[in-house]
Every structure is written in structure tokens, then in C-alpha cells.
Amino acid sequence: MTVAAEVISRSEIIKEFRRSKSGLAGVVILFGLIMVTIYAVAAIPLESFGQWNNPNFWIDLPKAAAPAWTNLLGSKVPEHIVLTAKDAAVSSSVDGGIRTVTHSYTVNFNYDSYPSDFMLLYSARYGGTQPILQIDVLRPDGNEFQIYFASLPSSQQGSNEFSARVFSTDRQIANNLRNYAGIFEYPQDTSRPHVMIFSDSQQNRVLKGTYVIRETFYFFDPGDSAVNSGVILGGKVYGLMGTDELRRDLAVGILWGAPVALFIGLTVSIAGIIIGLVYGVVAGYKGKRTDEGLMRINDVFYSLPTLPLLVILSVTIGRSIFLITGFLVIFGWVGMAKISRSLALQLKNMQYVEAAKLMGQSDTKIIFKHIIPQLIPLTFASIAIAVPGAILGEAALSFLGLGDPSIPTWGQILHDANSAGAAPRGLWWWIVPPGLMIAITGLAFVLIGNALDAIVNPRSRKV
Amino acid sequence: MVIVLFATLVLTIALLGPTMDRILLEAIRFYVVEQVNQSDIRFANAAERQRYIDGQIELQVKTIGLDEPWYAPKRFTNTVLKVMVLDLGKSNYLTSETGSANVRDIILEKMPKTILLFTTSTLIVTVIGLYLGAFVANRAGSVWDRLNSSFAVFSGSFPTWWVGMLMIFVFAFTYHIFPARATPLTPPSDPAYALDLLYHMLLPLITIVLVAFGSWAYIVRYFVVGILGEDYIAAKRAAGVPENRILYSHALKNAAPPIVTVIALSLASSFGGAITVEAVFGWPGMGSLYYQAIGFLDIPIIIGLTYISTVIFIITVFLTDIIYAYFDPRVKVA
């Protein structure tokens, strides 16, 4: 059985590939991943992707919230509620030189559990005299809690705009709530305002109904004004895929991870396989000393421990995504070099190669025009098979905390999940999707690669 | 073999040398300034104090040879020779459980645990793989065969460390069967330590076995199917040798050489996987040590572990060649 007899035409490969169910399944998955990529690029602004590691960018989102669709399955936990100045009912009055501006927000809170926290945003423009901000909550049972009363910081220049947010963990809120502890029939913890404010006064459960949250500004100068306000009730569910401990929207990271993983996987495997192909063919064709020398170098690379060296490389040289891709290529060509060498050994004794040699063609020309084209189908199969290794390699590196800090990858999301203890804390939406994406991407290429390999590789055809 | 070791070592030192020098220099500077601050020496002015400090630093730098770059022939040969004879120096931050800062002590303390976990799991995976592989090879094309093939492809795409996280989620968080961290709580001197260690080992062990055995069975199946097509198997069948005997003693034995190679290589290279798996479970082995050393940038430990794992890998490759020759008489030991 000669190799030449096994070389089959392109149309034959496509025809046989169509018959392979697993190969087609791989193509379908790959197509899905490409759709995800297109969706990510089109629908998710590049800005939110670049700001992945900037905590300020994500501050309006809830902390460690489950995906929103989990509400369909079990008890109704609070959704994330964001109210901006547009939703506020604004009223103002003047009383003896003091101007009062009130922004009141109406929230319908009909969930089975408490919000995870809340934030009150405000922004005011004022001059020399500092205005006072007062925040009240009118509960469905008629009780009214004054939770915050403080003057804004003094302005530096003549007139400036000051914006800040009051967090539910603010000590003043806890202090003020102490005044209302008597309303409850059972002990309440004032250091957990998000629970106390939304609790029933008789029984230890959520008080459902309509809440009114009022932000009242007291201005003492005629030129002062309230610019903006807002209320954020931290939900326990958010969006398609939930959020992580640092309030990041996991959907952004996971969807954007697809193009990154495809880039790494394909670049590494294509570069590695082509280098290995040329290297092996040169070794096999030239033979003798060249072969011996090149194969010894190959042995050295084969015996190097991959992950430890990858770790050392990224610790000392750098962590940019392009560098990591380069490091993976360093270890990606070794296997292909061995395979292509053994095939080149067979091909170089073919009559047409010897004829070309007798005609005086240069070695370079013979290698690139007569030998390598014969191995192209095998190359495609090898590229597809090599992709999962590259993706897993990058994921492992990112998982160890050595990934590119400016780009979210699936491995990095899992690294964050692991260091935040997501598994022991039960935050499954932080663990399952990224790993599943890694596995699915790898699976797609393995399926395609195996199907191609079964068609083009003379060794696996036999079985 | 020695060439490979040497190449790895040179590469590691070349990559880490500059960083190591910088860290050493900073340590010396810190040490000298601290010493001056605590001593009774009085200086006339700040400039004199600075001069004294600079002088002291230079003295120390000269003593340990830091005035030459790491690639200076003398220093370089020194470092390589020291590592080659396993004189791995002292760690910068991490210590062993007994408090020793000697890198060799630290690694030797962790090594048995990595070997325990990965040898046990490889053994289990091998046994399951051999029997399952032979079983489905005999029924090539059946439902079992196809089920096994698809399971192999699926499980092969999963990162083991991710499956580990899922296992912790399921068995430590949802059902409280296993502990989430694999570091035993009882002190090593306690007689119950061994039992506790085994209990903590179970979850990582199950994870590794679960992810690996499918691909294993698939590899075994590949070789056994090839053997089952040979003429002598048909001859045995014709002679009325029982099917199970053909399968498990004749076919499996003849498929052994390539299988042994794959087993040995996977065992030797499991150190790479050990880093991530041990990091997930907190198993106190070499992988966790490596993970911690990365965090602290404890370079003597990183160099030592890389060197030792390369040594282990190369020795295994060498032994595999010998075992291969033993199983396959066609190969002569040169």
C-alpha cells in the first residue's frame, strides 16, 4: 500500500465528510460558535469587554447574581432593579429661603427574598453652602424610615457638581435604623439594612408591596440644583448568565471568550502544524545527518514539561495574548514533525520524486511542490485535532492566573471563580458555562478532526 | 537524555536568571538598610549614611558574585552544576511543614503526595481502560463501542480541573459527602493522618479517573482491534480456545507494548496536570507547591520543581524504552 494510492481528491473528501455524522455535528457546533462570535462583536460593545478588570465599570450591577431565567424554575428571588432620574417623580418647594427638591421612586417589590444590597445615587451642583441630603423609605405597611441625613461635602471652587452614591453598608444607615428597631416584633440586625427595610414587622419574612424611596435635597443658595439621582436595588438574579463576585456581567465575558478562544486555538494549531510539517518533511527528505540532528532537537522539545515551561515563560516574558499564543506554538509543532517525517520518508522514494530529482530540480522545489501538497489533507485533519490542546493550554495558563489581564478568557473567569471559592459557595453559574464553552469548542474541533482523519490518514483508514 | 536535561535547565535558568538577580539585589538592599536602621552607627549627614549603605550593598553583592550577570560563565556553570547535583538552594518565601527553607526538603516533602495521588489514579484508570477497551474491541461497532467512543471524545474535551470544580460543587456543596479542600486537617504526626489523607484524596482521585478512563479505553480498543484482525487470533478461534481467553490473555498481551508506552508517558507528564488539579483541590503535593511558588515568585522552588519533573519524565521515557523491548522481542536493546 503506497501513500500515493491513498491520496484522494478534494471532492471525495467532502463527499465522505458529509457521510460522517460526528463530523457534521462538529461543523454544526463550530457554526454555533461563529454565530456567538458574530453576536458578541456586533451586540456587546467592545468597551465593556476592555473594561473587564475595571471594578468601577461594573458597579451598577448586582453582586454574584444568578441568571434571570432561574426565576422561572423556583421561588421568585428579586431581580436587579435600576431606577434612574427618568423614573423619578420630582417635586420642589420653597420655604423661607430653603429650597427642597424631592426625587421619589416607586418600587413594586413582590419577591420572596430580600435584595442583596442597595445603592442610592445622587448628584448635585452647588456653591459655597453645602446642601443637605435626606433619604426616606415609605414602606407598604405605612411606616416611614428616615435612613440617611447628611450634608454634602464642601465645594472646592465657586460652583461644582458633586456626585456620589450611598451604599446600603453605610454606617449612617445602620445608626438611623436603630431608631426603628422597636417597630419589629423580633430582633432585627441594623447592620443589614437591605434585610431590615424590606422585612415584615410581625413575622420574619419579606414585606411585599409598593415602596417609595425619597431622596430629598435641601438647598440654601438659589443657584444650587439637583442634577441626578437614582436607586439600585441589588437583585439576586441578573441577565442571561448572571454576575460574578465583582459584579461583572458573565454574559459579556463568556460570549467574548468565543472569539478569543477561536483565535488562540486556530492560530496556535495552524502555525504549529505548518512549522511541524515543513520541519518533518525537510528532516525526512534530506535524511542522514540533517535528519538525525533535526530529530534530536525534536526529541528535546518532546521531553520538555510543557505546562511548567509555559508558566515560566509567561511569568518572565509577558502575559499578552499574542505572547501566550507564541509560547503555545513553541510546543505545538513537535508531534506533527514526527508524523510528517515518517510520511516524507515514504514519499521521497516515489518515482515522480526521483524523476524530479534527476531532472535537476532543487530540494526546496521538490519539498514544496511535490511532497508537501501530498500531505495537505492530513494537515487539515491535524490542525483540527490540535485546536483543543491549544485552547486547553491557554485555559490552564489563565486558570493559574497567568492569562492576559486585559482580555477576559474562559480560563480567567474560572480562575476568578476558583479564587473566590465559587464551588464551595454554590455559585454554579460562575463555573458551569465557561468550562462548558471550553469543552464544547474543543469537542467541535475533535469531531471535525477525527472525521477528516478517518478519511485522509492511511493509518486510521485501515481500522 | 543528559542533553535534554541540560537543555531544560539552561532554558529555565536563562528565563529566570534576570528576575532572580533582581530579587536577590532587592533583598540585599532591604537587609542592609534594615541593619543600618537598627544599628547604633551615627552618621554626620544623610549623604554619609547613603555612602555607607551603598558601600555595604556593594560588598555583599561582590561576596555572592552578583556583580557579574547571571550568564557570566563562572556563575552560570556554578548554577547548573549545583542544580544538577540536586543542591537546589534555599527558597525565598515558602517553607516545608517542618520549617525548613531548603528547596530539596520542601520538594521531597511534597513529592510522595503527588506520586500517591497520580500513581493510584493512573493504576485505576489503566485497569478500567484495559478491560473496558478489550471488552468494546471485541464488540467493535456495537452500541457499547459507540457509547464508549463518544464518551471518550466528550470526556477528552473537558479540562480535568474544571470537572474538579464541578465535583466540589456537587459533592462538597450540594451533598456534603467529601470535603471541599483536599488538605487534611489532622497533623501528620497523628496516627489517623493516613486515613484522613485517603479520605481527602477520594474526590480528586474520582475526578481524574472519571475524566481519563474513557480516552484510555479508546486507546486500548484501537490497538486490540488491530490485533484481533490478525491471522493467529483466527487460528486460536478455529482451535476452539475460549473467547475470553483469546481476548484477555492473547490479544491484550500482544497489544501491551504500545499501551505500556502510553501509560508510562501519561504518568510522567501528569505533573503538568498536577499543577492545575492540585490547585483546584488544594491537594498538598508538588503541583500545589508550584502554584504557590508562582504566586510568590519563589524562583528557587520553580527551578527546582521544573528540573525534578523533567528528570522524572526523562527517566520514565528511558525505562519505557526498556520495558517496550522486553514486551516486544522484535525490538533489540541497543
Side-chain angles (χ1 to χ4, degrees), chain A residues 419-433:
Chain A
S419 36
R425 286 168 56 198
L427 310 176
W428 55 267
W429 59 91
W430 199 359
I431 305 168
V432 177

Side-chain angles (χ1 to χ4, degrees), chain A residues 43-353:
Chain A
I44 301 171
L46 194 62
E47 194 202 359
S48 56
F49 167 65
Q51 297 287 332
W52 184 252
N53 281 326
N54 175 12
N56 280 333
F57 185 83
W58 304 97
I59 199 157
D60 289 347
L61 301 187
K63 204 175 192 177
W69 46 264
T70 50
N71 256 357
L72 300 173
L73 308 175
S75 67
K76 261 190 104 186
V77 297
E79 279 169 43
H80 194 61
I81 299 171
V82 181
L83 297 170
T84 57
K86 268 181 285 173
D87 308 307
V90 183
S91 63
S92 61
S93 63
V94 182
D95 178 21
I98 302 173
R99 201 157 47 84
T100 318
V101 178
T102 308
H103 290 202
S104 47
Y105 293 90
T106 312
V107 183
N108 210 350
F109 197 82
N110 273 321
Y111 301 103
D112 297 329
S113 61
Y114 304 100
S116 57
D117 56 1
F118 59 81
M119 270 181 248
L120 302 152
L121 288 66
Y122 64 89
S123 173
R125 186 177 290 129
Y126 51 93
T129 323
Q130 300 138 249
I132 288 173
L133 173 67
Q134 176 189 335
I135 300 170
D136 308 272
V137 179
L138 177 63
R139 288 156 40 102
D141 61 0
N143 287 313
E144 190 167 338
F145 293 176
Q146 191 199 86
I147 59 170
Y148 192 83
F149 188 87
S151 64
L152 304 188
S154 65
S155 62
Q156 303 293 324
Q157 298 101 2
S159 170
N160 72 337
E161 193 179 314
F162 179 81
S163 22
R165 44 185 80 209
V166 178
F167 290 93
S168 56
T169 47
D170 198 295
R171 189 178 294 171
Q172 238 205 73
I173 296 182
N175 286 340
N176 287 330
L177 280 177
R178 217 160 281 156
N179 303 329
Y180 305 104
I183 295 173
F184 296 91
E185 299 279 319
Y186 56 97
Q188 266 291 359
D189 182 4
T190 53
S191 65
R192 295 171 64 203
H194 56 281
V195 173
M196 181 164 169
I197 292 173
F198 293 92
S199 294
D200 194 297
S201 55
Q202 306 301 317
Q203 285 168 305
N204 194 353
R205 60 181 166 96
V206 183
L207 178 64
K208 293 181 186 181
T210 308
Y211 289 80
V212 179
I213 298 165
R214 281 199 303 266
E215 292 186 28
T216 312
F217 298 88
Y218 296 97
F219 293 112
F220 306 101
D221 281 344
D224 299 351
S225 60
V227 180
N228 197 4
S229 69
V231 171
I232 295 173
L233 286 185
K236 284 181 176 152
V237 294
Y238 179 82
L240 184 64
M241 289 175 178
T243 59
D244 67 9
E245 186 70 14
L246 297 168
R247 303 171 188 273
R248 295 181 288 210
D249 185 356
L250 284 172
V252 172
I254 287 164
L255 294 180
W256 263 104
V260 177
L262 288 180
F263 165 76
I264 294 172
L266 285 173
T267 316
V268 170
S269 63
I270 291 174
I273 294 297
I274 289 178
I275 294 173
L277 176 74
V278 175
Y279 189 95
V281 168
V282 168
Y285 178 75
K286 291 267 185 182
K288 292 184 192 135
R289 284 257 179 87
T290 323
D291 185 23
E292 184 69 25
L294 287 179
M295 280 301 117
R296 282 299 143 267
I297 297 175
N298 188 286
D299 283 348
V300 171
F301 272 89
Y302 182 73
S303 310
L304 292 177
T306 315
L307 193 58
L309 280 179
L310 279 176
V311 166
I312 291 176
L313 282 169
S314 64
V315 165
T316 53
I317 295 180
R319 298 179 181 182
S320 110
I321 192 100
F322 301 105
L323 281 175
I324 290 176
T325 312
F327 301 151
L328 288 166
V329 172
I330 296 177
F331 298 98
W333 60 274
V334 183
M336 185 63 187
K338 281 198 168 176
I339 298 170
S340 60
R341 169 182 173 267
S342 68
L343 291 173
L345 281 178
Q346 295 175 30
L347 279 172
K348 81 170 179 185
N349 293 325
M350 305 291 299
Q351 283 179 347
Y352 73 93
V353 175

Side-chain angles (χ1 to χ4, degrees), chain B residues 244-283:
Chain B
N244 275 344
R245 216 179 119 85
I246 294 181
L247 189 61
Y248 293 111
S249 58
H250 295 288
L252 214 49
K253 196 174 162 196
N254 279 290
I259 294 173
V260 167
T261 316
V262 186
I263 292 176
L265 290 184
S266 86
L267 189 59
S269 62
S270 63
F271 177 70
I275 299 176
T276 45
V277 173
E278 289 186 5
V280 167
F281 287 103
W283 177 254

Side-chain angles (χ1 to χ4, degrees), chain B residues 16 49 60 76 79 121 139 158 167 206 235 245 293 302 333:
Chain B
L16 293 174
R49 181 174 180 274
Q60 295 241 7
F76 189 74
T79 324
S121 55
R139 293 157 184 76
F158 289 138
M167 296 293 273
I206 294 172
R245 216 179 119 85
I302 299 182
V333 184

Side-chain angles (χ1 to χ4, degrees), chain A residues 354-375:
Chain A
E354 289 190 345
K357 225 191 261 179
L358 284 175
M359 280 161 67
Q361 279 194 344
S362 70
D363 287 349
T364 329
K365 207 167 176 191
I366 293 176
I367 287 175
F368 284 98
K369 280 205 109 168
H370 298 301
I371 297 183
I372 287 185
Q374 302 283 330
L375 300 176

Side-chain angles (χ1 to χ4, degrees), chain B residues 193-229:
Chain B
Y193 180 74
L195 212 65
D196 202 25
L197 192 72
L198 284 179
Y199 172 58
H200 283 81
M201 192 175 91
L202 273 175
L203 198 57
L205 189 69
I206 294 172
T207 308
I208 299 171
V209 171
L210 200 65
V211 175
F213 86 88
S215 328
W216 268 102
Y218 191 70
I219 294 170
V220 172
R221 172 205 175 271
Y222 178 86
F223 290 119
V224 173
V225 162
I227 301 278
L228 284 178

Side-chain angles (χ1 to χ4, degrees), chain A residues 300 302-305 307-308 311-313 315-316 392 395 399-400 414 423-426 428 431-432 435-436 439 443 446, chain B residues 4 8 12 15-16 153-154 157-159 161-162 165-166 169 173 265 271-272 275 280 290-291 294 297 302 306 310 313:
Chain A
V300 171
Y302 182 73
S303 310
L304 292 177
L307 193 58
V311 166
I312 291 176
L313 282 169
V315 165
T316 53
L392 285 181
F399 179 70
L400 294 174
L414 286 170
R425 286 168 56 198
W428 55 267
I431 305 168
V432 177
L436 214 54
L443 189 66
V446 171
Chain B
V4 173
T8 316
T12 319
L15 283 167
L16 293 174
V153 173
F154 266 102
S157 316
F158 289 138
W161 42 271
W162 175 66
M165 289 172 83
L166 286 187
F169 173 73
F173 174 75
L265 290 184
F271 177 70
I275 299 176
V280 167
Y290 202 89
Y291 184 61
I294 300 165
L297 214 63
I302 299 182
T306 313
T310 317
F313 187 79

